[in-house]
Each structure stands twice: as C-alpha cells, then as structure tokens.
Amino acid sequence: SLNYLLAMATEVEELVGFLSSPSPQVKKAAVDIVQGLTGSEEGLLNLANHSDTLLASLLHLLGDKKELVQPALEALVNLSQETMLAGKMVDIGMIERAMEILGKVDPCIIQLLSMLLVNLTQLDSGAECLLQIGDEKLQGLYVAKLVRLFSISSSENKGAEDPYGHIGSILVNISRMETGRKLLLDPKRSLLKQIIRQSDSPSPLRRKGVSGTLRNCCFEAETQLANLILLSQFLWPALLLPLAGKQAYSKEDTNKMPPELANPLSHEREPENDPEIRVQAAEALYLISVQEGGHRALWSVNGPRILEIGYQDEQDAHVMEAYERLGSL
C-alpha cells in the first residue's frame, strides 16, 4: 500500500501540475478531476499535501473562461471547509480576487464566490481581510460593495436562483468583529439600513443573514444606541414582526404603534417559521432593552404588547426562553 500511496502522490502532483498547462483541454480535464477529488475526505487529504501549488493554480484559474472558473470555484468551496486551507487561501489573496470579480460574472459563479467568502470569513484573518483592516483609505469598500449587491433583491433575478443570498452570511461573519459592527452602524455609510430592508425577503437564507447581522450589531448598543434608534422605522419591524405571532391585532393595540408596525399587524400574516430568526430577533431586542434609552424606545412603539401576544403563540422551547429573558427586563 506504500507503493500505492507513492503512486497516488506523484499522480496528484502531476495532476496539480496540469492545472497550469498551456492546453485548455488539459487544464479543463485536470480541474474537473480536482473538483471531483475535493468531494471526498480521501481526495481532500491527498490534495492538501500539495496545497501551495494547488491553491495558487486554482486562484489563477479564476481569471479564465467560465467552464474553468466554475469547477475551480466548486473545488475551492470544498477545500475552504478545511481551516488550514482556508487560512492559506486568505494569505495568497483569494478574498481580494473574489471581490474583484464578484458582480461581473454570471449568477452561478456569483453564488460560488459568495459561498467561498462565507467559508473564508469564518476565520478572523478572512474577516479582517474583507474589512480591509489596516488600510485607512480603502477600509469598508468591500463591505459597501457586498451590501450593494445584497440589496439587489432576489425577485430582481427572475428565473435564476438567488445568487446574492449567501452575502447575508458573510455579513454575519464580519459583524462578529467590532470593526465590522462599527462600519455597518456608521450612519454616514447607511449600510445597516440597506441590510435591514431585506428582513421581509421571501428567502429564509436572506432573512437569517439579516437577523444574525442585526443581532451582532446590537452588541454595540451601549455606545451606538443613537445610531440604532435612527433606524427605528426599519429596526422595529425587523425585530418585532418575527416575534408577533400571526393573528390580527386589535385597533386598541395598533393605535399605540407607528404605521410600519400597525399596518402589518392589523391583519393576519404568514408567521416567521424559522426559530433561529425568532431567537436572534429576541436577543437583539434584549441587547437594546438593557440600555435605558432602548427600553424607553421599545415601550414607545408598544413593543411589550407585541411580545406578550407573540409569546402566547410560541411553541419552540429556545424561542420561549429568549422571550422570557427579554420579559425579565
């Protein structure tokens, strides 16, 4: 079996060499085989031993024709699930390359690029790179581009699968970092406002991206409460409607609410059926309400009444716990 392993090793080495062949046919055959190998544990291990050459070649292929770019990206998405390989990708400039071509390519490539960025930004080094930390002049440009693309709503891509939906997960990853939260909350950039507007998207992936990002940003409530409250017209519907249950509210209740809550709550609605989104909304409200000004603002829109009614409908234990934690305030 040692001979087999040695043979396999030289084969993989040769295979990786073929990725930079001058012949398009050879390159295409090689990248398809590599993409297939990344689908199995064993294949990943064999490729990982040649990762320096492999990743450099795959990075180079991202500038090639679509029939090479797609399998190269599918391989990179699989490889980037390994932390060590993801770290190497960040080091060789994979994020910069992905951001350069994002938005210029067709939908299935955009989706793969987004999935690759989701994996890479799970690492601190990847999140820092995407935030362009250390580059005063450019800091925030990549994030602004992602938010702009995320704002192209899924309904504008008729017939295509939503190519920008995964961007929400990238925003969740970068908002785990204080620099990311401050960037999104900066009122001059108005990025969070654009993100929150996707909170009623028909896509659960998008809604989860919005609720996760918003919850992370609320960790800054102590110092950034004013900037959060500036967005109240979008903030309260995004956080309270998922927790409001599905029944129509009485006139008596809706009269004490701003129109952005009163209108949707005055009739029956589709409830938010993803418990994770409901938990994140409750956690965000908790972080806001711990601040005295946030507590007052929530009362001013009749928030406690909404939570009281929503809680009666709730059946998920985790979500009920999050309601109760909020109720303890």
Side-chain angles (χ1 to χ4, degrees):
S1 78
L2 183 64
N3 289 339
Y4 165 74
L5 282 174
L6 284 170
M8 185 69 192
T10 54
E11 265 178 52
V12 171
E13 197 168 347
E14 267 184 272
L15 174 65
V16 171
F18 288 140
L19 289 173
S20 45
S21 160
S23 150
Q25 287 85 353
V26 173
K27 262 197 300 198
K28 172 74 177 132
V31 76
D32 283 343
I33 296 170
V34 165
Q35 189 265 322
L37 284 173
T38 62
S40 74
E41 271 304 301
E42 190 193 356
L44 272 175
L45 279 172
N46 282 319
L47 288 168
N49 294 326
H50 304 278
S51 60
D52 292 351
T53 326
L54 171 70
L55 297 177
S57 302
L58 290 172
L59 175 64
H60 191 68
L61 284 175
L62 295 189
D64 220 306
K65 297 184 198 58
K66 187 198 163 190
E67 62 264 24
L68 293 170
V69 175
Q70 188 163 348
L73 266 173
E74 284 167 356
L76 285 166
V77 169
N78 289 339
L79 291 161
S80 62
Q81 288 165 21
E82 298 288 326
T83 307
M84 182 205 57
L85 297 177
K88 283 188 173 183
M89 288 183 205
V90 173
D91 293 343
I92 64 170
M94 195 69 74
I95 287 180
E96 291 85 344
R97 188 78 188 96
M99 287 306 301
E100 197 183 320
I101 55 180
L102 193 71
K104 295 183 192 165
V105 282
D106 65 72
C108 67
I109 303 284
I110 288 169
Q111 195 158 17
L112 289 165
L113 282 169
S114 305
M115 289 161 81
L116 176 60
L117 287 169
V118 172
N119 290 348
L120 298 182
T121 51
Q122 279 169 9
L123 302 182
D124 285 355
S125 62
E128 284 168 8
C129 179
L130 193 74
L131 288 164
Q132 296 163 294
I133 288 175
D135 192 333
E136 290 300 298
K137 277 212 278 295
L138 296 178
Q139 198 171 343
L141 275 183
Y142 286 165
V143 177
K145 180 178 185 175
L146 286 173
V147 171
R148 191 176 70 243
L149 293 172
F150 187 58
S151 303
I152 300 173
S153 72
S154 38
S155 58
E156 285 171 43
N157 298 297
K158 298 261 187 302
E161 215 186 316
D162 176 11
Y164 297 113
H166 287 279
I167 289 178
S169 312
I170 304 171
L171 297 170
V172 173
N173 289 346
I174 59 160
S175 60
R176 290 196 330 256
M177 308 201 105
E178 189 185 356
T179 313
R181 297 192 289 271
K182 290 197 161 150
L183 190 71
L184 294 175
L185 280 160
D186 180 353
K188 288 199 284 295
R189 296 177 188 262
S190 95
L191 296 172
L192 193 59
K193 179 177 174 180
Q194 294 172 64
I195 296 167
I196 298 184
R197 297 180 97 151
Q198 295 284 320
S199 65
D200 59 353
S201 164
S203 150
L205 180 64
R206 279 176 176 261
R207 293 200 306 279
K208 200 175 274 189
V210 174
S211 64
T213 303
L214 191 46
R215 169 192 164 273
N216 287 350
C217 286
C218 288
F219 277 101
E220 298 296 316
E222 192 177 346
T223 54
Q224 299 260 357
L225 187 66
N227 287 335
L228 281 163
I229 301 296
L230 271 180
L231 302 173
S232 57
Q233 185 190 345
F234 309 100
L235 181 77
W236 298 128
L239 297 180
L240 286 165
L241 294 179
L243 297 170
K246 59 177 189 286
Q247 76 273 45
Y249 280 54
S250 70
K251 202 95 187 107
E252 189 187 347
D253 286 334
T254 55
N255 278 344
K256 299 174 191 148
M257 296 174 192
E260 60 269 17
L261 290 171
N263 295 339
L265 292 177
S266 57
H267 47 78
E268 277 198 18
R269 305 157 305 291
E270 272 296 300
E272 173 51 70
N273 52 20
D274 185 330
E276 198 183 331
I277 292 176
R278 300 200 299 278
V279 167
Q280 288 174 335
E283 287 176 349
L285 286 169
Y286 179 85
L287 292 164
I288 290 172
S289 304
V290 171
Q291 308 303 323
E292 198 192 327
H295 196 263
R296 277 201 308 273
L298 181 63
W299 276 88
S300 75
V301 296
N302 209 10
R305 179 65 179 145
I306 295 175
L307 296 169
E308 186 189 339
I309 293 177
Y311 180 69
Q312 293 163 9
D313 276 355
E314 188 54 63
Q315 271 149 15
D316 185 284
H318 287 300
V319 188
M320 287 168 83
E321 216 174 287
Y323 271 105
E324 285 155 16
R325 189 163 169 239
L326 188 49
S328 71
L329 296 174

mmCIF file with all atom_site columns, all heavy atoms in Angstrom, residues 96-110:
data_model
loop_
_atom_site.group_PDB
_atom_site.id
_atom_site.type_symbol
_atom_site.label_atom_id
_atom_site.label_alt_id
_atom_site.label_comp_id
_atom_site.label_asym_id
_atom_site.label_entity_id
_atom_site.label_seq_id
_atom_site.pdbx_PDB_ins_code
_atom_site.Cartn_x
_atom_site.Cartn_y
_atom_site.Cartn_z
_atom_site.occupancy
_atom_site.B_iso_or_equiv
_atom_site.pdbx_formal_charge
_atom_site.auth_seq_id
_atom_site.auth_comp_id
_atom_site.auth_asym_id
_atom_site.auth_atom_id
_atom_site.pdbx_PDB_model_num
ATOM 1   N N   . GLU A 1 96  ? -9.323  39.077 -2.074  1.00 0.00 ? 96  GLU A N   1
ATOM 2   C CA  . GLU A 1 96  ? -9.192  40.223 -2.996  1.00 0.00 ? 96  GLU A CA  1
ATOM 3   C C   . GLU A 1 96  ? -9.630  39.826 -4.405  1.00 0.00 ? 96  GLU A C   1
ATOM 4   O O   . GLU A 1 96  ? -10.344 40.566 -5.080  1.00 0.00 ? 96  GLU A O   1
ATOM 5   C CB  . GLU A 1 96  ? -7.738  40.722 -3.024  1.00 0.00 ? 96  GLU A CB  1
ATOM 6   C CG  . GLU A 1 96  ? -7.276  41.391 -1.737  1.00 0.00 ? 96  GLU A CG  1
ATOM 7   C CD  . GLU A 1 96  ? -6.761  40.429 -0.659  1.00 0.00 ? 96  GLU A CD  1
ATOM 8   O OE1 . GLU A 1 96  ? -7.026  39.199 -0.745  1.00 0.00 ? 96  GLU A OE1 1
ATOM 9   O OE2 . GLU A 1 96  ? -6.088  40.901 0.264   1.00 0.00 ? 96  GLU A OE2 1
ATOM 10  N N   . ARG A 1 97  ? -9.200  38.629 -4.829  1.00 0.00 ? 97  ARG A N   1
ATOM 11  C CA  . ARG A 1 97  ? -9.546  38.149 -6.184  1.00 0.00 ? 97  ARG A CA  1
ATOM 12  C C   . ARG A 1 97  ? -11.064 37.953 -6.291  1.00 0.00 ? 97  ARG A C   1
ATOM 13  O O   . ARG A 1 97  ? -11.677 38.337 -7.288  1.00 0.00 ? 97  ARG A O   1
ATOM 14  C CB  . ARG A 1 97  ? -8.815  36.816 -6.431  1.00 0.00 ? 97  ARG A CB  1
ATOM 15  C CG  . ARG A 1 97  ? -8.927  36.321 -7.856  1.00 0.00 ? 97  ARG A CG  1
ATOM 16  C CD  . ARG A 1 97  ? -7.970  37.091 -8.771  1.00 0.00 ? 97  ARG A CD  1
ATOM 17  N NE  . ARG A 1 97  ? -8.188  36.761 -10.178 1.00 0.00 ? 97  ARG A NE  1
ATOM 18  C CZ  . ARG A 1 97  ? -8.940  37.484 -10.995 1.00 0.00 ? 97  ARG A CZ  1
ATOM 19  N NH1 . ARG A 1 97  ? -9.550  38.571 -10.561 1.00 0.00 ? 97  ARG A NH1 1
ATOM 20  N NH2 . ARG A 1 97  ? -9.079  37.145 -12.255 1.00 0.00 ? 97  ARG A NH2 1
ATOM 21  N N   . ALA A 1 98  ? -11.655 37.337 -5.278  1.00 0.00 ? 98  ALA A N   1
ATOM 22  C CA  . ALA A 1 98  ? -13.103 37.082 -5.308  1.00 0.00 ? 98  ALA A CA  1
ATOM 23  C C   . ALA A 1 98  ? -13.875 38.401 -5.359  1.00 0.00 ? 98  ALA A C   1
ATOM 24  O O   . ALA A 1 98  ? -14.835 38.547 -6.129  1.00 0.00 ? 98  ALA A O   1
ATOM 25  C CB  . ALA A 1 98  ? -13.521 36.279 -4.081  1.00 0.00 ? 98  ALA A CB  1
ATOM 26  N N   . MET A 1 99  ? -13.430 39.388 -4.564  1.00 0.00 ? 99  MET A N   1
ATOM 27  C CA  . MET A 1 99  ? -14.131 40.682 -4.542  1.00 0.00 ? 99  MET A CA  1
ATOM 28  C C   . MET A 1 99  ? -13.982 41.429 -5.865  1.00 0.00 ? 99  MET A C   1
ATOM 29  O O   . MET A 1 99  ? -14.866 42.171 -6.269  1.00 0.00 ? 99  MET A O   1
ATOM 30  C CB  . MET A 1 99  ? -13.609 41.548 -3.386  1.00 0.00 ? 99  MET A CB  1
ATOM 31  C CG  . MET A 1 99  ? -14.057 41.082 -2.011  1.00 0.00 ? 99  MET A CG  1
ATOM 32  S SD  . MET A 1 99  ? -15.857 40.895 -1.830  1.00 0.00 ? 99  MET A SD  1
ATOM 33  C CE  . MET A 1 99  ? -16.429 42.553 -2.215  1.00 0.00 ? 99  MET A CE  1
ATOM 34  N N   . GLU A 1 100 ? -12.846 41.195 -6.528  1.00 0.00 ? 100 GLU A N   1
ATOM 35  C CA  . GLU A 1 100 ? -12.594 41.856 -7.806  1.00 0.00 ? 100 GLU A CA  1
ATOM 36  C C   . GLU A 1 100 ? -13.590 41.377 -8.866  1.00 0.00 ? 100 GLU A C   1
ATOM 37  O O   . GLU A 1 100 ? -14.089 42.168 -9.663  1.00 0.00 ? 100 GLU A O   1
ATOM 38  C CB  . GLU A 1 100 ? -11.163 41.491 -8.218  1.00 0.00 ? 100 GLU A CB  1
ATOM 39  C CG  . GLU A 1 100 ? -10.539 42.357 -9.275  1.00 0.00 ? 100 GLU A CG  1
ATOM 40  C CD  . GLU A 1 100 ? -9.150  41.802 -9.623  1.00 0.00 ? 100 GLU A CD  1
ATOM 41  O OE1 . GLU A 1 100 ? -8.423  41.368 -8.683  1.00 0.00 ? 100 GLU A OE1 1
ATOM 42  O OE2 . GLU A 1 100 ? -8.827  41.762 -10.812 1.00 0.00 ? 100 GLU A OE2 1
ATOM 43  N N   . ILE A 1 101 ? -13.875 40.063 -8.864  1.00 0.00 ? 101 ILE A N   1
ATOM 44  C CA  . ILE A 1 101 ? -14.740 39.546 -9.936  1.00 0.00 ? 101 ILE A CA  1
ATOM 45  C C   . ILE A 1 101 ? -16.215 39.443 -9.543  1.00 0.00 ? 101 ILE A C   1
ATOM 46  O O   . ILE A 1 101 ? -17.069 39.273 -10.393 1.00 0.00 ? 101 ILE A O   1
ATOM 47  C CB  . ILE A 1 101 ? -14.224 38.190 -10.502 1.00 0.00 ? 101 ILE A CB  1
ATOM 48  C CG1 . ILE A 1 101 ? -14.047 37.151 -9.403  1.00 0.00 ? 101 ILE A CG1 1
ATOM 49  C CG2 . ILE A 1 101 ? -12.945 38.380 -11.276 1.00 0.00 ? 101 ILE A CG2 1
ATOM 50  C CD1 . ILE A 1 101 ? -13.533 35.803 -9.893  1.00 0.00 ? 101 ILE A CD1 1
ATOM 51  N N   . LEU A 1 102 ? -16.503 39.570 -8.245  1.00 0.00 ? 102 LEU A N   1
ATOM 52  C CA  . LEU A 1 102 ? -17.903 39.464 -7.795  1.00 0.00 ? 102 LEU A CA  1
ATOM 53  C C   . LEU A 1 102 ? -18.739 40.556 -8.453  1.00 0.00 ? 102 LEU A C   1
ATOM 54  O O   . LEU A 1 102 ? -18.361 41.717 -8.476  1.00 0.00 ? 102 LEU A O   1
ATOM 55  C CB  . LEU A 1 102 ? -17.947 39.630 -6.268  1.00 0.00 ? 102 LEU A CB  1
ATOM 56  C CG  . LEU A 1 102 ? -19.251 39.239 -5.599  1.00 0.00 ? 102 LEU A CG  1
ATOM 57  C CD1 . LEU A 1 102 ? -19.433 37.731 -5.624  1.00 0.00 ? 102 LEU A CD1 1
ATOM 58  C CD2 . LEU A 1 102 ? -19.275 39.720 -4.159  1.00 0.00 ? 102 LEU A CD2 1
ATOM 59  N N   . GLY A 1 103 ? -19.884 40.192 -8.985  1.00 0.00 ? 103 GLY A N   1
ATOM 60  C CA  . GLY A 1 103 ? -20.723 41.212 -9.614  1.00 0.00 ? 103 GLY A CA  1
ATOM 61  C C   . GLY A 1 103 ? -20.470 41.341 -11.103 1.00 0.00 ? 103 GLY A C   1
ATOM 62  O O   . GLY A 1 103 ? -21.280 41.887 -11.835 1.00 0.00 ? 103 GLY A O   1
ATOM 63  N N   . LYS A 1 104 ? -19.313 40.830 -11.589 1.00 0.00 ? 104 LYS A N   1
ATOM 64  C CA  . LYS A 1 104 ? -19.014 40.930 -13.024 1.00 0.00 ? 104 LYS A CA  1
ATOM 65  C C   . LYS A 1 104 ? -19.284 39.616 -13.748 1.00 0.00 ? 104 LYS A C   1
ATOM 66  O O   . LYS A 1 104 ? -19.062 39.508 -14.940 1.00 0.00 ? 104 LYS A O   1
ATOM 67  C CB  . LYS A 1 104 ? -17.526 41.244 -13.239 1.00 0.00 ? 104 LYS A CB  1
ATOM 68  C CG  . LYS A 1 104 ? -17.060 42.580 -12.733 1.00 0.00 ? 104 LYS A CG  1
ATOM 69  C CD  . LYS A 1 104 ? -15.587 42.753 -13.100 1.00 0.00 ? 104 LYS A CD  1
ATOM 70  C CE  . LYS A 1 104 ? -14.986 43.930 -12.364 1.00 0.00 ? 104 LYS A CE  1
ATOM 71  N NZ  . LYS A 1 104 ? -13.514 43.904 -12.422 1.00 0.00 ? 104 LYS A NZ  1
ATOM 72  N N   . VAL A 1 105 ? -19.686 38.593 -12.993 1.00 0.00 ? 105 VAL A N   1
ATOM 73  C CA  . VAL A 1 105 ? -19.785 37.256 -13.586 1.00 0.00 ? 105 VAL A CA  1
ATOM 74  C C   . VAL A 1 105 ? -21.224 36.744 -13.502 1.00 0.00 ? 105 VAL A C   1
ATOM 75  O O   . VAL A 1 105 ? -22.069 37.378 -12.894 1.00 0.00 ? 105 VAL A O   1
ATOM 76  C CB  . VAL A 1 105 ? -18.831 36.276 -12.861 1.00 0.00 ? 105 VAL A CB  1
ATOM 77  C CG1 . VAL A 1 105 ? -17.406 36.463 -13.318 1.00 0.00 ? 105 VAL A CG1 1
ATOM 78  C CG2 . VAL A 1 105 ? -18.914 36.435 -11.358 1.00 0.00 ? 105 VAL A CG2 1
ATOM 79  N N   . ASP A 1 106 ? -21.492 35.589 -14.141 1.00 0.00 ? 106 ASP A N   1
ATOM 80  C CA  . ASP A 1 106 ? -22.899 35.188 -14.147 1.00 0.00 ? 106 ASP A CA  1
ATOM 81  C C   . ASP A 1 106 ? -23.332 34.530 -12.833 1.00 0.00 ? 106 ASP A C   1
ATOM 82  O O   . ASP A 1 106 ? -22.512 34.147 -12.010 1.00 0.00 ? 106 ASP A O   1
ATOM 83  C CB  . ASP A 1 106 ? -23.259 34.370 -15.390 1.00 0.00 ? 106 ASP A CB  1
ATOM 84  C CG  . ASP A 1 106 ? -22.552 33.055 -15.438 1.00 0.00 ? 106 ASP A CG  1
ATOM 85  O OD1 . ASP A 1 106 ? -22.910 32.165 -14.652 1.00 0.00 ? 106 ASP A OD1 1
ATOM 86  O OD2 . ASP A 1 106 ? -21.625 32.930 -16.259 1.00 0.00 ? 106 ASP A OD2 1
ATOM 87  N N   . PRO A 1 107 ? -24.667 34.437 -12.631 1.00 0.00 ? 107 PRO A N   1
ATOM 88  C CA  . PRO A 1 107 ? -25.227 34.092 -11.323 1.00 0.00 ? 107 PRO A CA  1
ATOM 89  C C   . PRO A 1 107 ? -24.648 32.856 -10.638 1.00 0.00 ? 107 PRO A C   1
ATOM 90  O O   . PRO A 1 107 ? -24.389 32.899 -9.431  1.00 0.00 ? 107 PRO A O   1
ATOM 91  C CB  . PRO A 1 107 ? -26.715 33.910 -11.614 1.00 0.00 ? 107 PRO A CB  1
ATOM 92  C CG  . PRO A 1 107 ? -26.983 34.807 -12.768 1.00 0.00 ? 107 PRO A CG  1
ATOM 93  C CD  . PRO A 1 107 ? -25.730 34.786 -13.593 1.00 0.00 ? 107 PRO A CD  1
ATOM 94  N N   . CYS A 1 108 ? -24.414 31.754 -11.385 1.00 0.00 ? 108 CYS A N   1
ATOM 95  C CA  . CYS A 1 108 ? -23.947 30.553 -10.680 1.00 0.00 ? 108 CYS A CA  1
ATOM 96  C C   . CYS A 1 108 ? -22.527 30.765 -10.149 1.00 0.00 ? 108 CYS A C   1
ATOM 97  O O   . CYS A 1 108 ? -22.155 30.228 -9.108  1.00 0.00 ? 108 CYS A O   1
ATOM 98  C CB  . CYS A 1 108 ? -24.041 29.316 -11.563 1.00 0.00 ? 108 CYS A CB  1
ATOM 99  S SG  . CYS A 1 108 ? -22.909 29.352 -12.939 1.00 0.00 ? 108 CYS A SG  1
ATOM 100 N N   . ILE A 1 109 ? -21.736 31.585 -10.835 1.00 0.00 ? 109 ILE A N   1
ATOM 101 C CA  . ILE A 1 109 ? -20.367 31.890 -10.373 1.00 0.00 ? 109 ILE A CA  1
ATOM 102 C C   . ILE A 1 109 ? -20.446 32.810 -9.146  1.00 0.00 ? 109 ILE A C   1
ATOM 103 O O   . ILE A 1 109 ? -19.712 32.628 -8.171  1.00 0.00 ? 109 ILE A O   1
ATOM 104 C CB  . ILE A 1 109 ? -19.537 32.576 -11.490 1.00 0.00 ? 109 ILE A CB  1
ATOM 105 C CG1 . ILE A 1 109 ? -19.474 31.718 -12.746 1.00 0.00 ? 109 ILE A CG1 1
ATOM 106 C CG2 . ILE A 1 109 ? -18.141 32.939 -10.984 1.00 0.00 ? 109 ILE A CG2 1
ATOM 107 C CD1 . ILE A 1 109 ? -18.554 30.543 -12.710 1.00 0.00 ? 109 ILE A CD1 1
ATOM 108 N N   . ILE A 1 110 ? -21.350 33.775 -9.193  1.00 0.00 ? 110 ILE A N   1
ATOM 109 C CA  . ILE A 1 110 ? -21.528 34.693 -8.057  1.00 0.00 ? 110 ILE A CA  1
ATOM 110 C C   . ILE A 1 110 ? -21.878 33.901 -6.799  1.00 0.00 ? 110 ILE A C   1
ATOM 111 O O   . ILE A 1 110 ? -21.347 34.140 -5.723  1.00 0.00 ? 110 ILE A O   1
ATOM 112 C CB  . ILE A 1 110 ? -22.644 35.721 -8.363  1.00 0.00 ? 110 ILE A CB  1
ATOM 113 C CG1 . ILE A 1 110 ? -22.146 36.727 -9.391  1.00 0.00 ? 110 ILE A CG1 1
ATOM 114 C CG2 . ILE A 1 110 ? -23.079 36.454 -7.092  1.00 0.00 ? 110 ILE A CG2 1
ATOM 115 C CD1 . ILE A 1 110 ? -23.211 37.622 -9.976  1.00 0.00 ? 110 ILE A CD1 1
#
